[in-house]
Amino acid sequence: PGVFLALTLGVAMCVSCVAILSTRAIATIFTFKTDLMLKLAAENESPWPAFFALAGFNAIFVVLAAVSVTLVEQRAKGSGIPEVKSYLNGRRIARVIHPRTLVSKVAGLVFSVCANLTV
């Protein structure tokens, strides 16, 4: 029983660390993007430079999210719930529980949220 408790607490700590890091990354990117948009809007009489900068940032983030999922690890696409349910039921699926999949999924999530996509 003690080993299971320690394992559960370890997994919970790892999940919470990933959640905190992704939240901080999103907040940092949003702060940078917002400050830049406000600076561009204050410097120019026209709103178009700020609009095009925002559209450019969002396009870059969409491309980064797509590349992280399609080229780095294709198992990271989708929610992953059916794969994890199959894994927990005893079906071995390659690269579902893998650090590369986790990194790709977190990067795709961070860049998708920063691009203002609906997740």
Side-chain angles (χ1 to χ4, degrees):
V3 174
F4 294 121
L5 180 62
L7 186 62
T8 302
L9 289 176
V11 169
M13 294 297 285
C14 290
V15 168
S16 62
C17 286
V18 168
I20 289 170
L21 288 175
S22 63
T23 302
R24 287 205 176 168
I26 291 168
T28 303
I29 293 171
F30 266 127
T31 302
F32 172 74
K33 205 164 72 165
T34 304
D35 290 345
L36 183 67
M37 296 310 117
L38 291 175
K39 181 182 170 190
L40 286 173
E43 288 177 355
N44 300 312
E45 294 178 11
S46 174
W48 293 110
F51 171 75
F52 286 122
L54 179 65
F57 272 121
N58 288 345
I60 289 169
F61 290 140
V62 166
V63 168
L64 289 173
V67 164
S68 73
V69 173
T70 56
L71 297 181
V72 175
E73 184 60 58
Q74 291 189 357
R75 288 279 181 197
K77 66 182 178 187
S79 69
I81 294 172
E83 290 88 356
V84 171
K85 285 174 67 174
S86 298
Y87 188 81
L88 292 175
N89 282 327
R91 175 86 172 116
R92 173 97 167 95
I93 302 174
R95 299 186 324 262
V96 170
I97 311 294
H98 195 269
R100 188 172 172 180
T101 306
L102 175 68
V103 169
S104 178
K105 190 171 278 290
V106 169
L109 173 77
V110 167
F111 291 132
S112 296
V113 170
C114 290
N116 295 325
L117 295 177
T118 305
V119 178

Short mmCIF file of all heavy atoms in Angstrom, two decimals, residues 76-111:
data_model
loop_
_atom_site.label_atom_id
_atom_site.label_comp_id
_atom_site.label_asym_id
_atom_site.label_seq_id
_atom_site.Cartn_x
_atom_site.Cartn_y
_atom_site.Cartn_z
N ALA A 76 0.21 12.57 -30.31
CA ALA A 76 -0.25 13.67 -29.47
C ALA A 76 -1.53 14.32 -29.99
O ALA A 76 -2.10 15.16 -29.31
CB ALA A 76 0.85 14.72 -29.33
N LYS A 77 -1.96 13.95 -31.19
CA LYS A 77 -3.17 14.56 -31.72
C LYS A 77 -4.40 14.03 -31.00
O LYS A 77 -4.41 12.89 -30.52
CB LYS A 77 -3.28 14.34 -33.22
CG LYS A 77 -3.46 12.90 -33.60
CD LYS A 77 -3.51 12.75 -35.11
CE LYS A 77 -3.63 11.28 -35.43
NZ LYS A 77 -3.52 11.01 -36.83
N GLY A 78 -5.40 14.84 -30.90
CA GLY A 78 -6.63 14.44 -30.22
C GLY A 78 -6.51 14.55 -28.71
O GLY A 78 -5.51 15.02 -28.17
N SER A 79 -7.55 14.11 -28.04
CA SER A 79 -7.57 14.24 -26.59
C SER A 79 -6.70 13.20 -25.90
O SER A 79 -6.17 13.44 -24.82
CB SER A 79 -9.00 14.11 -26.08
OG SER A 79 -9.46 12.78 -26.26
N GLY A 80 -6.56 12.04 -26.49
CA GLY A 80 -5.77 10.97 -25.88
C GLY A 80 -6.56 10.11 -24.92
O GLY A 80 -6.03 9.12 -24.39
N ILE A 81 -7.81 10.44 -24.69
CA ILE A 81 -8.62 9.68 -23.74
C ILE A 81 -8.85 8.25 -24.22
O ILE A 81 -8.68 7.31 -23.44
CB ILE A 81 -9.94 10.42 -23.44
CG1 ILE A 81 -9.63 11.72 -22.70
CG2 ILE A 81 -10.88 9.55 -22.60
CD1 ILE A 81 -10.83 12.62 -22.53
N PRO A 82 -9.24 8.00 -25.47
CA PRO A 82 -9.42 6.61 -25.90
C PRO A 82 -8.13 5.79 -25.81
O PRO A 82 -8.18 4.61 -25.43
CB PRO A 82 -9.88 6.72 -27.35
CG PRO A 82 -10.45 8.07 -27.47
CD PRO A 82 -9.67 8.93 -26.53
N GLU A 83 -6.99 6.41 -26.13
CA GLU A 83 -5.73 5.68 -26.05
C GLU A 83 -5.38 5.31 -24.62
O GLU A 83 -4.95 4.19 -24.35
CB GLU A 83 -4.60 6.53 -26.66
CG GLU A 83 -4.69 6.68 -28.16
CD GLU A 83 -5.53 7.86 -28.59
OE1 GLU A 83 -6.13 8.54 -27.73
OE2 GLU A 83 -5.60 8.09 -29.82
N VAL A 84 -5.59 6.24 -23.70
CA VAL A 84 -5.28 5.95 -22.29
C VAL A 84 -6.25 4.92 -21.73
O VAL A 84 -5.85 4.03 -20.97
CB VAL A 84 -5.28 7.26 -21.46
CG1 VAL A 84 -5.18 6.96 -19.98
CG2 VAL A 84 -4.14 8.15 -21.90
N LYS A 85 -7.53 4.99 -22.12
CA LYS A 85 -8.48 3.98 -21.66
C LYS A 85 -8.09 2.60 -22.18
O LYS A 85 -8.18 1.61 -21.43
CB LYS A 85 -9.90 4.35 -22.12
CG LYS A 85 -10.51 5.47 -21.32
CD LYS A 85 -11.84 5.92 -21.87
CE LYS A 85 -12.90 4.88 -21.75
NZ LYS A 85 -14.23 5.36 -22.17
N SER A 86 -7.67 2.53 -23.43
CA SER A 86 -7.22 1.25 -23.97
C SER A 86 -5.98 0.75 -23.25
O SER A 86 -5.86 -0.44 -22.95
CB SER A 86 -6.91 1.40 -25.46
OG SER A 86 -8.05 1.77 -26.16
N TYR A 87 -5.06 1.66 -22.96
CA TYR A 87 -3.83 1.30 -22.25
C TYR A 87 -4.14 0.78 -20.85
O TYR A 87 -3.57 -0.21 -20.39
CB TYR A 87 -2.92 2.53 -22.18
CG TYR A 87 -1.55 2.25 -21.63
CD1 TYR A 87 -0.56 1.72 -22.44
CD2 TYR A 87 -1.24 2.50 -20.30
CE1 TYR A 87 0.70 1.46 -21.96
CE2 TYR A 87 0.01 2.25 -19.80
CZ TYR A 87 0.98 1.72 -20.63
OH TYR A 87 2.22 1.47 -20.13
N LEU A 88 -5.08 1.43 -20.17
CA LEU A 88 -5.45 1.00 -18.82
C LEU A 88 -6.22 -0.32 -18.82
O LEU A 88 -6.21 -1.04 -17.82
CB LEU A 88 -6.28 2.08 -18.12
CG LEU A 88 -5.54 3.37 -17.79
CD1 LEU A 88 -6.50 4.40 -17.23
CD2 LEU A 88 -4.40 3.10 -16.83
N ASN A 89 -6.85 -0.65 -19.94
CA ASN A 89 -7.55 -1.93 -20.06
C ASN A 89 -6.65 -3.06 -20.52
O ASN A 89 -7.12 -4.17 -20.75
CB ASN A 89 -8.74 -1.80 -21.01
CG ASN A 89 -9.91 -1.11 -20.35
OD1 ASN A 89 -10.13 -1.27 -19.16
ND2 ASN A 89 -10.65 -0.35 -21.12
N GLY A 90 -5.36 -2.78 -20.68
CA GLY A 90 -4.42 -3.83 -21.00
C GLY A 90 -3.96 -3.87 -22.44
O GLY A 90 -3.14 -4.71 -22.81
N ARG A 91 -4.46 -3.02 -23.27
CA ARG A 91 -4.04 -2.98 -24.68
C ARG A 91 -2.80 -2.11 -24.80
O ARG A 91 -2.81 -0.95 -24.45
CB ARG A 91 -5.18 -2.41 -25.53
CG ARG A 91 -4.85 -2.22 -26.96
CD ARG A 91 -5.09 -3.50 -27.73
NE ARG A 91 -4.95 -3.20 -29.15
CZ ARG A 91 -3.99 -3.74 -29.89
NH1 ARG A 91 -3.15 -4.58 -29.37
NH2 ARG A 91 -3.90 -3.44 -31.16
N ARG A 92 -1.72 -2.67 -25.30
CA ARG A 92 -0.46 -1.94 -25.42
C ARG A 92 -0.47 -1.15 -26.73
O ARG A 92 -0.55 -1.72 -27.82
CB ARG A 92 0.72 -2.92 -25.42
CG ARG A 92 2.05 -2.31 -25.71
CD ARG A 92 2.79 -2.00 -24.44
NE ARG A 92 4.19 -1.70 -24.72
CZ ARG A 92 4.64 -0.47 -24.89
NH1 ARG A 92 3.80 0.54 -24.83
NH2 ARG A 92 5.92 -0.26 -25.11
N ILE A 93 -0.40 0.17 -26.62
CA ILE A 93 -0.34 1.05 -27.79
C ILE A 93 1.00 1.78 -27.71
O ILE A 93 1.32 2.40 -26.70
CB ILE A 93 -1.51 2.06 -27.81
CG1 ILE A 93 -2.83 1.32 -27.80
CG2 ILE A 93 -1.41 2.96 -29.02
CD1 ILE A 93 -4.04 2.21 -27.67
N ALA A 94 1.76 1.70 -28.78
CA ALA A 94 3.11 2.26 -28.78
C ALA A 94 3.07 3.79 -28.63
O ALA A 94 2.23 4.46 -29.23
CB ALA A 94 3.82 1.89 -30.07
N ARG A 95 3.97 4.33 -27.84
CA ARG A 95 4.22 5.76 -27.65
C ARG A 95 3.04 6.54 -27.09
O ARG A 95 3.00 7.76 -27.24
CB ARG A 95 4.69 6.38 -28.96
CG ARG A 95 5.96 5.80 -29.50
CD ARG A 95 6.48 6.54 -30.72
NE ARG A 95 5.48 7.04 -31.63
CZ ARG A 95 5.09 6.45 -32.74
NH1 ARG A 95 5.58 5.28 -33.07
NH2 ARG A 95 4.21 7.00 -33.53
N VAL A 96 2.08 5.91 -26.44
CA VAL A 96 0.98 6.67 -25.83
C VAL A 96 1.47 7.30 -24.53
O VAL A 96 1.28 8.49 -24.30
CB VAL A 96 -0.25 5.77 -25.58
CG1 VAL A 96 -1.28 6.48 -24.73
CG2 VAL A 96 -0.86 5.37 -26.89
N ILE A 97 2.11 6.51 -23.70
CA ILE A 97 2.67 7.02 -22.45
C ILE A 97 4.18 7.17 -22.69
O ILE A 97 4.97 6.29 -22.36
CB ILE A 97 2.40 6.05 -21.27
CG1 ILE A 97 0.93 5.65 -21.22
CG2 ILE A 97 2.85 6.65 -19.97
CD1 ILE A 97 -0.02 6.77 -20.90
N HIS A 98 4.56 8.29 -23.28
CA HIS A 98 5.95 8.51 -23.65
C HIS A 98 6.29 9.98 -23.42
O HIS A 98 5.44 10.84 -23.65
CB HIS A 98 6.14 8.14 -25.13
CG HIS A 98 7.56 7.98 -25.53
ND1 HIS A 98 8.30 9.02 -26.02
CD2 HIS A 98 8.37 6.90 -25.51
CE1 HIS A 98 9.52 8.58 -26.29
NE2 HIS A 98 9.59 7.31 -25.99
N PRO A 99 7.48 10.30 -22.95
CA PRO A 99 7.83 11.71 -22.71
C PRO A 99 7.73 12.58 -23.97
O PRO A 99 7.34 13.75 -23.90
CB PRO A 99 9.27 11.64 -22.21
CG PRO A 99 9.42 10.28 -21.65
CD PRO A 99 8.51 9.40 -22.45
N ARG A 100 8.06 12.00 -25.12
CA ARG A 100 7.97 12.76 -26.37
C ARG A 100 6.52 13.14 -26.68
O ARG A 100 6.25 14.25 -27.16
CB ARG A 100 8.57 11.93 -27.48
CG ARG A 100 8.72 12.64 -28.78
CD ARG A 100 9.50 11.79 -29.76
NE ARG A 100 9.48 12.38 -31.07
CZ ARG A 100 10.07 11.86 -32.10
NH1 ARG A 100 10.72 10.72 -31.99
NH2 ARG A 100 10.02 12.44 -33.26
N THR A 101 5.60 12.24 -26.40
CA THR A 101 4.18 12.53 -26.60
C THR A 101 3.73 13.62 -25.65
O THR A 101 2.99 14.53 -26.04
CB THR A 101 3.35 11.25 -26.38
OG1 THR A 101 3.85 10.22 -27.22
CG2 THR A 101 1.89 11.49 -26.70
N LEU A 102 4.18 13.57 -24.41
CA LEU A 102 3.82 14.58 -23.42
C LEU A 102 4.33 15.96 -23.84
O LEU A 102 3.57 16.94 -23.81
CB LEU A 102 4.37 14.20 -22.04
CG LEU A 102 4.17 15.25 -20.95
CD1 LEU A 102 2.70 15.39 -20.61
CD2 LEU A 102 4.98 14.89 -19.73
N VAL A 103 5.59 16.03 -24.24
CA VAL A 103 6.16 17.32 -24.65
C VAL A 103 5.43 17.86 -25.87
O VAL A 103 5.10 19.06 -25.93
CB VAL A 103 7.67 17.16 -24.92
CG1 VAL A 103 8.24 18.39 -25.60
CG2 VAL A 103 8.42 16.87 -23.63
N SER A 104 5.14 17.01 -26.83
CA SER A 104 4.43 17.45 -28.03
C SER A 104 3.02 17.92 -27.70
O SER A 104 2.55 18.93 -28.22
CB SER A 104 4.39 16.32 -29.04
OG SER A 104 3.69 16.70 -30.18
N LYS A 105 2.33 17.19 -26.83
CA LYS A 105 0.96 17.55 -26.45
C LYS A 105 0.94 18.87 -25.69
O LYS A 105 0.09 19.74 -25.95
CB LYS A 105 0.31 16.44 -25.64
CG LYS A 105 -1.18 16.66 -25.43
CD LYS A 105 -1.82 15.45 -24.83
CE LYS A 105 -2.14 14.41 -25.84
NZ LYS A 105 -3.23 14.74 -26.75
N VAL A 106 1.88 19.06 -24.76
CA VAL A 106 1.93 20.31 -23.99
C VAL A 106 2.30 21.48 -24.90
O VAL A 106 1.70 22.56 -24.80
CB VAL A 106 2.90 20.18 -22.80
CG1 VAL A 106 3.15 21.51 -22.15
CG2 VAL A 106 2.35 19.20 -21.78
N ALA A 107 3.26 21.30 -25.79
CA ALA A 107 3.63 22.37 -26.71
C ALA A 107 2.46 22.73 -27.63
O ALA A 107 2.18 23.91 -27.86
CB ALA A 107 4.84 21.97 -27.54
N GLY A 108 1.78 21.72 -28.14
CA GLY A 108 0.61 21.98 -28.98
C GLY A 108 -0.49 22.71 -28.23
O GLY A 108 -1.12 23.63 -28.76
N LEU A 109 -0.69 22.35 -26.98
CA LEU A 109 -1.69 23.02 -26.15
C LEU A 109 -1.32 24.47 -25.90
O LEU A 109 -2.14 25.38 -26.06
CB LEU A 109 -1.86 22.28 -24.83
CG LEU A 109 -2.75 22.97 -23.81
CD1 LEU A 109 -4.19 22.78 -24.18
CD2 LEU A 109 -2.47 22.47 -22.43
N VAL A 110 -0.07 24.71 -25.50
CA VAL A 110 0.37 26.07 -25.20
C VAL A 110 0.27 26.95 -26.43
O VAL A 110 -0.29 28.07 -26.38
CB VAL A 110 1.81 26.06 -24.64
CG1 VAL A 110 2.40 27.46 -24.61
CG2 VAL A 110 1.84 25.46 -23.25
N PHE A 111 0.76 26.48 -27.56
CA PHE A 111 0.72 27.30 -28.77
C PHE A 111 -0.70 27.48 -29.29
O PHE A 111 -1.04 28.52 -29.84
CB PHE A 111 1.63 26.72 -29.85
CG PHE A 111 3.09 26.83 -29.53
CD1 PHE A 111 3.92 25.75 -29.66
CD2 PHE A 111 3.62 28.02 -29.08
CE1 PHE A 111 5.27 25.85 -29.36
CE2 PHE A 111 4.97 28.13 -28.77
CZ PHE A 111 5.79 27.05 -28.91
#
